Amino acid sequence: MAALDDLMNKARELADLVGKATEELVDDSRIKIQELKLSSELKDAYERLGSVIYDGIKSGEENQALIDLVVGEIDTIHQGLEALKVKAAPAPAERYCAQCGATNGGEASFCSRCGAPLSIPEEAPEAEAPAVTETEDAGE
């Protein structure tokens, strides 16, 4: 009976972990959609600014109030995009446990939930210098 309880607990933990990962994926998707929407609005605002400036040049009358209005709109969109970038950025110094999926601080060596050792992510290996073959060496 204890084995069945352990299995049920592990299944619940796994379901919780999958649920958390799904929530994170949905949040990331929402942020990407907002970013695409703001990027489209930014493109439209730049086009409006170009039209206002073009019309002013053609008519010989500069409409500074309208230019300032569109520039303010562009600045607001840029601020929104920057806020999304901050929101989308992964939390610094977080490490995830391979055993239970718990989030741990970047300096942790062991998981705060299950005690499993946390592996250090491997860095990309440096490119090796090409080996000199005997035929290349003999030609020099």
Side-chain angles (χ1 to χ4, degrees), residues 1-109:
M1 192 67 173
L4 183 58
D5 289 339
D6 287 344
L7 181 61
M8 290 300 291
N9 287 335
K10 290 290 183 186
R12 277 190 213 109
E13 288 177 10
L14 182 59
D16 289 343
L17 183 62
V18 169
K20 182 180 177 183
T22 302
E23 286 177 22
E24 290 174 0
L25 183 62
V26 168
D27 289 343
D28 288 346
S29 296
R30 284 184 183 139
I31 290 171
K32 290 290 183 192
I33 289 170
Q34 290 173 341
E35 186 177 356
L36 287 171
K37 181 182 174 198
L38 286 175
S39 293
S40 176
E41 290 176 11
L42 183 63
K43 179 181 174 254
D44 292 344
Y46 277 126
E47 287 177 5
R48 278 193 302 279
L49 179 61
S51 292
V52 168
I53 292 173
Y54 177 81
D55 291 344
I57 291 171
K58 284 304 229 180
S59 68
E61 296 177 17
E62 185 178 294
N63 188 346
Q64 191 61 44
L66 187 55
I67 291 172
D68 291 342
L69 182 70
V70 177
V71 168
E73 183 182 343
I74 289 171
D75 290 342
T76 301
I77 294 170
H78 274 293
Q79 290 171 354
L81 283 169
E82 287 300 316
L84 283 178
K85 286 180 184 177
V86 168
K87 210 186 257 191
E94 284 188 349
R95 294 174 62 189
Y96 296 93
C97 176
Q99 285 293 116
C100 70
T103 302
N104 294 274
E107 300 299 318
S109 297

